[in-house]
């Protein structure tokens, strides 16, 4: 009887509910990113396919040609389309510590872009 009791104790370890679920977390993260970037994605696609939208930027882009304007917005559109897949892959493959480091770097980058945008654009 004592051997059965010790076997039962050996099998009563805590179960890791995230084991083998990294792919699902990656899909969820990619879906959330897709929902967040849906409006910028549609706007960048509209800017890329309609060269007359260059006039919306109130003369700031007068020296840029139509093809450079469209090429820029196509690059932005392609990046935004790839972003949910990249985020999903990174979440599925990286460890928790690596995700925290990457998240902190991205947060600092976004803060720096916002500060520089406020200083130089407005």
């Amino acid at each position: 009887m004592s051997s059965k009791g010790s076997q039962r104790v050996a099998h009563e370890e805590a179960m890791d509910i995230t084991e083998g679920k990294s792919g699902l977390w990656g899909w969820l993260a990619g879906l959330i990113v897709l929902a967040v970037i849906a409006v910028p994605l549609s706007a960048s696609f509209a800017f890329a396919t309609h060269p007359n939208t260059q006039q919306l930027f109130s003369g700031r882009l007068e020296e840029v040609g139509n093809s450079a304007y469209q090429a820029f917005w196509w690059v932005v559109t392609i990046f935004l389309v790839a972003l949910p897949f990249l985020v999903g892959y990174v979440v599925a493959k990286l460890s928790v510590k690596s995700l925290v480091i990457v998240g902190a770097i991205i947060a600092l980058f976004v803060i720096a872009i916002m500060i520089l945008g406020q200083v130089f654009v407005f």
Side-chain angles (χ1 to χ4, degrees):
M1 284 268 199
S2 64
S3 64
K4 286 185 181 182
S6 64
Q7 286 177 355
R8 182 175 294 147
V9 172
H11 291 293
E12 290 182 8
E13 297 176 8
M15 291 182 61
D16 185 13
I17 61 170
T18 61
E19 185 179 334
K21 305 280 187 191
S22 63
L24 293 175
W25 285 112
W27 276 103
L28 180 63
L31 186 62
I32 290 169
V33 169
L34 181 64
V36 168
I37 66 162
V39 172
L41 176 62
S42 66
S44 67
F45 183 75
F47 292 154
T49 56
H50 297 85
N52 292 336
T53 58
Q54 187 173 3
Q55 298 169 354
L56 295 174
F57 293 96
S58 66
R60 294 180 191 245
L61 299 174
E62 288 177 332
E63 66 274 357
V64 178
N66 277 345
S67 10
Y69 176 78
Q70 284 182 319
F72 170 75
W73 284 112
W74 275 116
V75 169
V76 170
T77 302
I78 290 169
F79 174 73
L80 288 174
V81 166
L83 190 62
F85 297 104
L86 292 173
V87 168
Y89 179 78
V90 166
V91 167
K93 296 297 180 185
L94 289 182
S95 67
V96 174
K97 184 178 180 181
S98 300
L99 283 174
V100 169
I101 292 170
V102 169
I105 291 170
I106 290 172
L108 290 174
F109 180 71
V110 168
I111 290 169
I113 292 295
M114 290 174 61
I115 291 171
L116 290 174
Q118 292 294 320
V119 169
F120 293 113
V121 175
F122 297 108

